Amino acid sequence: MALAFCGDEGNSTAYNVDHGVLNNGCFVDALNVVPHVFLLFITFPILFIGWGSQSSKVHIHHSTWLHFPGHNLRWILTFILLFVLVCEIAEGIVSDGKATLVLYIRVAFFLNDYLINITIVYFCNSLLFYWTLAFITKTIKFVKFCDNGVGFSQLRFCLTGLLVVLYGMLLAVEINVIRVRRYVFFKSPKEVKPPEDLQDLGVRFLQPFVNLLSKGTYWWMNTFIKTAHKKPIDLKTIGKLPIAMRALTNYVRLNEAFEAQKVCKAWNYIRSRSIWRALCCAFGRPLLLSSTFRILADLLGFAGPLCISGIVHNVGKGNNTIRPQGSSDTLQNFLSNAYVLAVLLFFALLLQRTFLQASYYVAIETGINLRGAIQTKIYNKIMQLSTSNMSMGEMTAGQICNLVAIDTNQLMWFFFLCPNLWAMPVQIIVGVLLLYYLLGISALIGAAVIIVLAPVQYFVATKLSQAQRSTLEYSNERLKKTNEMLRGIKLLKLYAWEHIFHSSVEETRQKEMTSLKSFALYTSISIFMNAAIPIAAVLITFVVHAHLTRKADFSPSVAFASISLFHILVSPLFLLSSVVRSTVKALGTLLVLPPLTVYFCLSDFSQPLKVVNRKRPAREDWNNYSSHMRRPINITEADDFCVKITNGFFTWTPEGPPALSNIDIRIPQGQLTMIVGQVGCGKSSLLLAILGEMQKISGNIFWTGNSWFVCFSRKRGSVAYASQKPWLLNATVEENITFESSFNKQRYKAVIDACSLQPDIDILPHGDQTQIGERGINLSGGQRQRISVARALYQQTNVVFLDDPFSALDIHLSDHLMQEGILKMLREDKRTVVLVTHKLQYLPHADWIIAMKDGNIQREGTLKDIQKSETELFEHWKTLMNRQDQELEKTIIETKTVLERTNLRRTMYSREALLKDDEEDEEEVTESDDEDNLSSVLHQRAKMPWRACGKYLSAAGILLLPLLVLSQLLKHTVMVAIDYCLAQWTSEIFDHSPYSKFFSILSCLGIVLCLVTSIAVEWTGLKVTKKLHSSLLNKIILAPMRFFETTPLGSILNRFSADCNTIDQHIPATLECLSRSTLLCVSALAVISYVTPMFLIALVPLAIMCYFIQKYFRVASRDLQQLDDSTQLPLLSHFSETVEGLTTIRAFRYEAKFRQKLLEYTDSNNIASLFLTAANRWLEVRMEYIGACVVLIAAVTSITSCLYRKLSSGLVGLGLTYALMVSNYLNWMVRNLADMEIQLGAVKRIHGLLKTEAENYEGLLSSSQIPQNWPDRGEIQIQNLSVRYDSNLKPVLKHVNAHISPGQKIGICGRTGSGKSSFSLAFFRMVDTFEGRIIIDGIDIAKLPLQTLRSRLSIILQDPILFSGTIRFNLDPEKKCTDSMLWEALEIAQLKHVVKALPGGLDAIVTEGGENFSQGQRQLFCLARAFVRKTSIFIMDEATASIDMATENILQKVVMTAFADRTVVTIAHRVHTILNADLVIVMKRGVILEYDKPEVLLEREDSVFASFVQADK
């Protein structure tokens, strides 16, 4: 083969210059090479210097900084230039023939390709000369073409003209750069600093700043993905958001749009429409860009079917493909070349996938920005909510959390799906037109099948949504019952009621399963229709086309192009239902749901605080108007008093009566003021009125130094406020106390000591750095109260408001707090303290007293003033003070405080044990040295949880699993057979009948198998979820009590809620998608390899690339998904805690600080979401590019095989159609693999709980060996008993011996931790008895079945537990008693009159936890419950702790008389209650210290019991 620069060396005309040099084509072509050679030599040194000096650049993201204006335009022009150059070289190869390789085209192309790729990244001054020379030389060539009569009919002329235009535009861009940046001809270039974001190394999300190529391919993510494979991703790794994407920036943009809409007159009339206009104004531009990208992508998607049609048509005609020809080619001839079409298809796929992913990214980014802006706007409105809005229930914490978690996400997803609304109709219309072009009238029949079934798909989607809602309702009911069961598990085990509540949960689960079956049915129908509709449409279309239009073209090119078009057409119709439902939800968020509209219509936070009432506008009376005009009243005592209220009337609601009336008070500056009064007299309301939380009807409030009205409360300074209901942040103990103030170690320690918090902090695993609140440890009420008071003490404010801080504290803590905290730390510092309290014994410490009654001020002044002027009131106070039995309170509440710390210690042990178990169960990693351990962990992170997958599938059973696998394999085999049959059918031009019958049979079989596989997957999911939940419930309810003490309740509930939901609804769908996409890819690659075995050579490197891409992606995707979820929790928690602590936040004047925290939480969640989106796009771009490579290689190898092996055109069409499928499903396979990996974590966690060992419910004695009425006498023998809570813990009872005769009344006392409660639990075998035994009525309880033992004894626990349902159910869930027996028990428990007064009597409703009854009433119901059982042994474990003394005395007498013939064991907290017992047991550290009759023990001088009685007097 000859090689020459301008053609064949024998062709002398190529070098003839007789008519002038410029008229010689060879010279002109050589001239076009000059600019490229020139730039090559000029730029080499510059490029090397640039690369070598990169390390010395300033610390910015250098590689992402686009230094010069017009950079994106240069990239776009360059891509077009490259495409035109490819077309030029292709045209040269095709038109110049194979005989001679013309070098000038190749040299120009390769030099041009190399140089323009380099120069778009690195700018140098020589570019101006390069583009100038290139423009001039190409223009000369174009002019010579015109002179020689070459016109638009010739492709080479068109390409040359395009190159002239492109070079000219690139030259214009370069001139503009020089003009703006003042380069080359200017002495002082303009210095440009990089953007602020790029100077901040904390900003790692670089998508807005990178060049066009990196934006389109997410190349900048490579480093991030590789880093994720080396170490887990956390918030520090992903860094900060760019400024333009931060919530504050987007909030400002949204707020400006709202303000612009508010100017419109129509705002008050059509608010929702105006809101939509504001949203579109703020975020509509990127949405328009996303829609443009989407439409372009959809239009480019039709290049696939068209190119397949052209390739198959051309190879079917027997074209030699490369025709030796010396003249330039026309466009029609150029596009008739199969190889050219293959390359065009490749470029079209690359461009289509790039546009599609760009559309997805822009839409999701816009939605995330919108979500952040709306969440910020909602939060600002929360800060403006009046307390009355919350107290009236007009805007609850739950509604606000729904706004944030659900409504804002619905708007975000609407913006994501919005481009589909106008892109899908375009796609459907173009698809139908192309089908009509290919198949004629028969195409409309096939399209009609798809369009007619679209409403059916919408109907199925609607039913699916309804089934999901129904499932959610039953799921919530089941979780409520499960939560109650777990919270009351101790009572259930002691009463042997596990089976009752197990049955109740199972009953609700059955309802949920019925709903899940509907959900599974509609899901399987949806999956079936999505798979079967294309088959049915193709079948009907092709049969009609072949038999009714016999003269029509039914070649492979038509058939396989039509199949591809049908696949394209089905997708938008299938998604249309989801898009429409999402749109309806988003419209409902603003048009139907009022809360969001109300929020948006509230006044801006800079406006005065006013009550907002959605039902009617706030009333404006003359007082409100005139108050703005009144001048402040001069107060001569301004320096003496901190706060003064004159003639104050305050209300909670605009329509309601005043809650506070005739308020005229003065609070002295720098002194201690106490506010006292009966419960409900308005003490707390007075504090809130002073803070501006109530609506003022009339009157004024004055502070020292300035006067202000309640509605302008923002002029007030900061007030340290401790509310009556303690409010804590989800933060550490230290952060809760310091509360955004600077840390002062000395003051912090003093506050800790004053609030007696050190013993509690010592128990916590991380001391004061332990997380508390919703996300951390659940503290008791007293502990929460002390931390709340400590926060107020720590602050350096001049004013401190304490609302009943002693309510949850014992007498010692109260005294210590009063002396060390309030008197020493606050009053001595001359700070103004306002203390609301019921502890009248502290009144002598008050400098000023305000007495309240029924919302009015009864009296104010000093104690001496009140003693003189209000003698009767003073005597009443004195009587109440004397009544407060401090010694009794000491005994009662000292036990309470120590018990709080004991419970906290147990909680700590539980959490540490759980963490230890999680660490052991997380990954089975050998603990060698650190490096080996790290490498093992990284290896485990990259490894798929195949074991969990195996456990999931094995739970399906031995019959269903083979059906699932075989149906999937058979389905895809039949699908391949259908397409292979079509290839053979279309290659046969004579007789359609045999092939059409066979094709019809296979298609019908394929449709049936689609139904079978969809049902098999959902059936498998149903069976697995039913089995796993049933096993989990059985295992948990039979677990020993120690399991519940060492495992947080939330952890167990998560298994029943989030993990069960994942297994119920998500894993089956993901499994179906994964199996379908995987088998489609495998079958496609198999078909291509069968058609062209040469493809296997190229498959190996592509497969290796896919493997590493998915390996790196899965790790990063899992981490980012978890980070996205974990950053959403603090955000929602911040909203809920702000609503709960709104009064405290506003009192401290910390609105700005909490807004800043909100912005941080929102940005953290948004950056995680954006990185997750970018990671998904990173994967999909690469997988789809690999898919495009598969299509190119398949096309080239098929065309070559067709030329040299006479491959049928039908098989070529088959191979290319399947190659397009690979391109579509490859990324779905990896995405579903990553999703499945995350979801299988739920299976893994549930199987971890299934390993829990159950209690041994079986006994050595059978039911026939146990007397029916055992125990009938109530004799108890305890012999050398030693028990412990766990085998690795110390004994809590040591060698205890005792004998209790039938009918005796035994009292057990001792200090906290002495083993009293463990003693009672030993009777029920709730603790581990490792030595000794207990014999009841002659039977060793260790030999009895647990169910029998626990059902024959009765116990009343200290903590009252009631379940939701009826009073009858709470007293007798086994339904064994008559109404008379229940009324008798209620009468004994002093509750008969209470229950009779309720609607329904015994069938009256009890809310969850018995919240509609007081604590004392709940305890009495528990007593009645125990009386109902009427067992011969009755145990009371500090059962009257929540009952007043009078009621307790009555109950003690009733117990002694009603249970005269029963054995009663009383564990006492008030020693006087067991003075009438037959025997008293005094315990200390697990051993019996004293054991005798109470009168005998009282006579002994050294008796511990006697000392207890003496202290109780």
Side-chain angles (χ1 to χ4, degrees), residues 264-484:
C264 300
K265 294 181 180 179
W267 172 261
N268 291 323
Y269 302 103
I270 317 174
R271 287 179 173 178
S272 299
R273 193 177 298 172
S274 299
I275 289 170
W276 275 111
R277 287 201 197 102
L279 292 176
C280 292
C281 179
F283 299 99
R285 189 174 297 176
L287 206 60
L288 188 62
L289 179 65
S290 173
S291 303
T292 305
F293 284 152
R294 180 58 192 269
I295 291 172
L296 287 173
D298 289 344
L299 293 176
L300 283 167
F302 292 109
L306 294 176
C307 287
I308 287 176
S309 175
I311 291 170
V312 176
H313 175 73
N314 289 329
V315 296
K317 289 196 303 182
N319 272 0
N320 292 328
T321 305
I322 299 175
R323 296 175 293 103
Q325 181 178 323
S327 61
S328 177
D329 217 338
T330 63
L331 180 61
Q332 185 177 357
N333 291 334
F334 181 70
L335 292 178
S336 66
N337 188 285
Y339 284 115
V340 169
L341 287 175
V343 175
L344 286 177
L345 175 58
F346 173 70
F347 278 115
L349 286 174
L350 290 182
L351 204 55
Q352 188 241 346
R353 304 306 184 189
T354 304
F355 278 142
L356 186 63
Q357 297 309 320
S359 172
Y360 287 158
Y361 172 78
V362 173
I364 295 174
E365 182 196 282
T366 306
I368 290 171
N369 289 339
L370 169 72
R371 182 182 64 180
I374 291 179
Q375 286 172 346
T376 308
K377 192 164 184 66
I378 290 173
Y379 193 81
N380 279 326
K381 298 308 175 185
I382 288 176
M383 286 298 185
Q384 289 300 101
L385 278 180
S386 167
T387 309
S388 64
N389 286 107
M390 308 303 297
S391 61
M392 289 168 61
E394 291 189 354
M395 188 56 66
T396 64
Q399 286 176 321
I400 291 170
C401 285
N402 280 339
L403 278 174
V404 176
I406 298 173
D407 294 340
T408 55
N409 276 313
Q410 284 178 352
L411 279 175
M412 182 187 76
W413 282 107
F414 167 72
F415 267 63
F416 169 49
L417 295 173
C418 196
N420 292 288
L421 285 175
W422 34 81
M424 282 181 175
V426 173
Q427 196 175 14
I428 292 167
I429 291 168
V430 174
V432 171
L433 290 174
L434 287 174
L435 277 171
Y436 181 77
Y437 170 76
L438 289 171
L439 296 170
I441 196 68
S442 55
L444 298 180
I445 299 172
V449 171
I450 298 175
I451 294 169
V452 166
L453 290 174
V456 179
Q457 285 181 306
Y458 182 79
F459 171 77
V460 170
T462 306
K463 287 292 184 182
L464 193 61
S465 180
Q466 292 174 359
Q468 196 168 19
R469 281 198 300 271
S470 174
T471 304
L472 183 62
E473 290 173 6
Y474 287 125
S475 178
N476 289 337
E477 185 182 346
R478 172 179 61 83
L479 287 174
K480 180 183 174 184
K481 289 185 176 181
T482 306
N483 183 35
E484 279 196 322

Side-chain angles (χ1 to χ4, degrees), residues 704-881:
T704 300
N706 65 51
S707 65
W708 51 278
F709 305 114
V710 174
C711 60
F712 291 99
S713 61
R714 301 190 179 279
K715 295 180 182 178
R716 164 180 64 76
S718 177
V719 174
Y721 173 65
S723 58
Q724 187 176 18
K725 182 183 178 183
W727 171 71
L728 298 183
L729 295 168
N730 293 321
T732 64
V733 176
E734 181 188 304
E735 289 168 341
N736 267 282
I737 294 173
T738 57
F739 199 52
E740 305 290 333
S741 298
S742 58
F743 183 76
N744 184 319
K745 187 174 182 181
Q746 185 177 354
R747 181 170 187 81
Y748 179 76
K749 190 176 185 304
V751 169
I752 293 291
D753 292 338
C755 297
S756 305
L757 280 168
Q758 195 58 50
D760 303 279
I761 289 174
D762 292 339
I763 296 169
L764 298 172
H766 305 294
D768 59 2
Q769 298 304 310
T770 305
Q771 289 274 338
I772 59 174
E774 289 181 14
R775 287 182 291 150
I777 310 304
N778 290 320
L779 302 177
S780 67
Q783 289 157 342
R784 294 170 67 88
Q785 183 77 64
R786 280 179 283 139
I787 292 175
S788 179
V789 173
R791 176 196 301 144
L793 294 182
Y794 184 83
Q795 305 304 310
Q796 297 287 354
T797 56
N798 293 324
V799 184
V800 179
F801 284 5
L802 302 174
D803 191 355
D804 202 9
F806 308 121
S807 58
L809 308 185
D810 63 49
I811 190 67
H812 287 300
L813 293 179
S814 297
D815 284 343
H816 187 74
L817 176 59
M818 187 70 195
Q819 293 295 332
E820 299 296 322
I822 297 172
L823 298 179
K824 188 175 179 181
M825 293 188 69
L826 298 181
R827 193 164 71 169
E828 288 182 7
D829 286 349
K830 298 297 182 183
R831 294 165 72 183
T832 304
V833 182
V834 181
L835 173 65
V836 173
T837 184
H838 293 279
K839 306 281 186 182
L840 300 182
Q841 65 266 32
Y842 298 138
L843 284 178
H845 298 296
D847 300 309
W848 193 259
I849 298 171
I850 298 173
M852 297 192 68
K853 186 177 182 180
D854 300 329
N856 295 285
I857 302 300
Q858 186 178 6
R859 186 72 171 86
E860 70 168 330
T862 64
L863 189 60
K864 287 183 180 180
D865 294 339
I866 294 173
Q867 184 179 0
K868 291 177 183 177
S869 60
E870 297 283 346
T871 310
E872 186 179 344
L873 176 63
F874 180 78
E875 290 300 323
H876 178 64
W877 285 352
K878 194 173 180 181
T879 306
L880 290 174
M881 281 190 276

Side-chain angles (χ1 to χ4, degrees), residues 2-62:
L3 185 65
F5 186 80
C6 291
D8 190 356
E9 290 180 350
N11 184 7
S12 59
T13 57
Y15 303 97
N16 188 359
V17 292
D18 293 342
H19 301 287
V21 176
L22 289 179
N23 288 321
N24 183 275
C26 181
F27 177 79
V28 174
D29 291 330
L31 195 61
N32 277 271
V33 180
V34 171
H36 313 308
V37 176
F38 163 77
L39 189 64
L40 180 66
F41 286 106
I42 294 296
T43 55
F44 249 98
I46 296 172
L47 296 178
F48 280 122
I49 293 169
W51 281 326
S53 64
Q54 275 190 41
S55 59
S56 64
K57 295 287 180 184
V58 291
H59 290 289
I60 63 169
H61 298 290
H62 173 73

Side-chain angles (χ1 to χ4, degrees), residues 66-83:
L66 307 182
H67 302 253
F68 306 104
H71 205 287
N72 286 336
L73 178 60
R74 185 188 292 173
W75 272 100
I76 293 169
L77 292 175
T78 301
F79 288 141
I80 298 171
L81 178 61
L82 284 173
F83 177 73

Side-chain angles (χ1 to χ4, degrees), residues 98 423 438 506 540 587 749 789 1001 1069 1280 1502:
K98 294 188 288 184
L438 289 171
E506 277 292 355
I540 294 170
L587 290 169
K749 190 176 185 304
V789 173
I1001 293 169
N1280 197 33
D1502 60 343

Side-chain angles (χ1 to χ4, degrees), residues 506-538:
E506 277 292 355
E507 181 184 350
T508 310
R509 178 63 176 175
Q510 287 304 318
K511 295 177 183 176
E512 186 184 3
M513 286 302 298
T514 303
S515 193
L516 274 173
K517 285 175 183 175
S518 299
F519 180 80
L521 174 65
Y522 289 118
T523 302
S524 60
I525 292 173
S526 180
I527 293 169
F528 161 69
M529 291 183 72
N530 192 29
I533 286 176
I535 302 174
V538 168

Side-chain angles (χ1 to χ4, degrees), residues 493-494 498 1039-1042 1254-1261 1266 1270 1281 1283-1285 1317-1330 1332-1334 1336 1339-1350 1353 1355 1435:
K493 286 185 173 293
L494 289 169
E498 303 102 310
M1041 197 62 213
R1042 189 63 193 155
E1255 283 186 288
N1256 183 16
Y1257 275 74
E1258 301 298 324
L1260 299 176
L1261 299 177
I1266 305 168
W1270 179 92
L1281 183 69
V1283 301
R1284 58 194 174 191
Y1285 281 97
S1317 295
S1318 304
F1319 193 96
S1320 64
L1321 294 177
F1323 291 120
F1324 297 84
R1325 284 168 48 194
M1326 296 285 283
V1327 286
D1328 177 23
T1329 303
F1330 66 94
R1333 59 180 183 164
I1334 299 175
I1336 299 177
I1339 297 179
D1340 185 353
I1341 64 170
K1343 298 179 180 179
L1344 291 169
L1346 272 182
Q1347 184 78 14
T1348 304
L1349 169 66
R1350 293 171 180 173
L1353 305 177
I1355 187 172
I1435 300 167

